[in-house]
Amino acid sequence: MKRRQFVRNASMAAAGGALVAGCASDETEGGAAAVQTNPRVSWRLTSSFPRSLDTIFGAAEVLANRVSELTSGRFTIRVFPAGELVPGNQVLETVQKGTVQVGHSASYYFTGLNPALAFDCTVPFGLNARQFNAWMYYGDGLELTRGLFADFNIINLPGGNTGVQMGGWFRERVDTLSDFGGLKMRIPGFGGQVMAELGVNVQVLSGGEIYPALERGVIDAAEWAGPYDDEKLGFHQIAKNYYYPGWWEPGPGLSFYINKDAWEKLPADYKAALEAAAAEANVDMLAGYDAKNPVALARLLDTEDVTMRPFSKEVMDKAREITREILSSEAASDPTYRRILENYQAFQQASNRWLRASEHTYADFTLSGG
Ligand code: CA
């Protein structure tokens, strides 16, 4: 279903649900036949993120609060942070089994199950957040990624975006390709694969393990997301060189995973409430980061002795060349991966031509500091 139709249906059904429930509360018991079609439903949600990272974790709370409001409190979702029910890297299989009905995660955590799941989140040098939403809602992104999640008995809904991430924190400068040889860096997923080809000794550590590893010198560099989250994790206390951009995560989309059996049992207006709430959470996270990152960046630069440094063109060019080789190699061994990649790249190419004229030209003039 295309986005315009989806939004209209979701809004109408959600409004209808609220009206039915609202009328029911004014009726005497027995006169409220409609309310019997709206059962009480209690779900649990498990997140891949800790409560302390309030923006990325908060999307799950936006979802839960909105669903409850849209259904007059009859459909509730209890939200659990990573580690309370299951560790953050087990969200997909937990929803698949139906142990919980909904999860919130980043699909590139699960590329070990299927490398194509990266397209539900981000790939290096891929779509930015705006392009990603356009591909998911109006292009073929949602349909293609739902095809992947069908194997896991899951329906995915877009559930937030960080925007272009930062490249992370480095104890020493990395200006040339040779500076990456032997560097020990925390970086997961596809970006880690590219870094490994650059000679980096790649370490995969969860959020809470990064700071102690950096402090003890077990790693020389680490990346997480952007100024707002990174400041909370404290990396700037150890490594003062803050590189940009995070070319491996140009617009990572988070996702809500809904267990398909649980979804199919929902009344139509609850489904619509869930879809509308997810769409709101999707927009809300990006707006939140776009408002909070500048404030955190100012603190880091003005009071913490942090220096921002761009990755050199030499490094960016080589990383993109390696990325293309990895994408081609995956596509050669998996027809589904190839089909999604071709669709994604065609969308990106067309979008880039338009954004080069519009956003890029405008940003180049207004953001260049001139
Ligand atoms: Ca990251």
Side-chain angles (χ1 to χ4, degrees), residues 108 165-166 186 188 223-225 248-249:
Y108 63 9
Q165 296 201 351
M166 287 294 284
R186 181 274 175 188
E223 68 85 49
W224 176 259
W248 52 93
E249 296 185 56

Side-chain angles (χ1 to χ4, degrees), residues 185-260:
M185 180 174 186
R186 181 274 175 188
I187 173 170
F190 201 148
Q193 275 180 272
V194 180
M195 283 290 188
E197 292 291 322
L198 289 176
V200 170
N201 179 347
V202 171
Q203 310 282 320
V204 179
L205 305 170
S206 67
E209 295 171 324
I210 307 172
Y211 181 88
L214 199 58
E215 189 180 32
R216 292 201 315 272
V218 175
I219 53 175
D220 310 304
E223 68 85 49
W224 176 259
Y228 183 72
D229 283 359
D230 290 2
E231 183 188 34
K232 288 183 180 219
L233 294 170
F235 307 141
H236 59 278
Q237 293 160 20
I238 316 288
K240 298 292 186 183
N241 297 293
Y242 198 16
Y243 274 82
Y244 65 92
W247 43 261
W248 52 93
E249 296 185 56
L254 291 307
S255 297
F256 293 112
Y257 301 154
I258 318 288
N259 177 275
K260 198 156 175 284

Side-chain angles (χ1 to χ4, degrees), residues 85-133:
L85 294 177
V86 293
N89 61 2
Q90 289 175 22
V91 168
L92 189 150
E93 62 194 90
T94 306
V95 176
Q96 181 183 3
K97 284 185 211 147
T99 314
V100 302
Q101 295 81 7
V102 53
H104 187 231
S105 193
S107 295
Y108 63 9
Y109 293 155
F110 307 106
T111 49
L113 299 171
N114 183 345
L117 287 173
F119 292 109
D120 187 58
C121 182
T122 192
V123 295
F125 302 99
L127 302 171
N128 69 18
R130 254 182 77 177
Q131 294 174 311
F132 182 75
N133 272 338

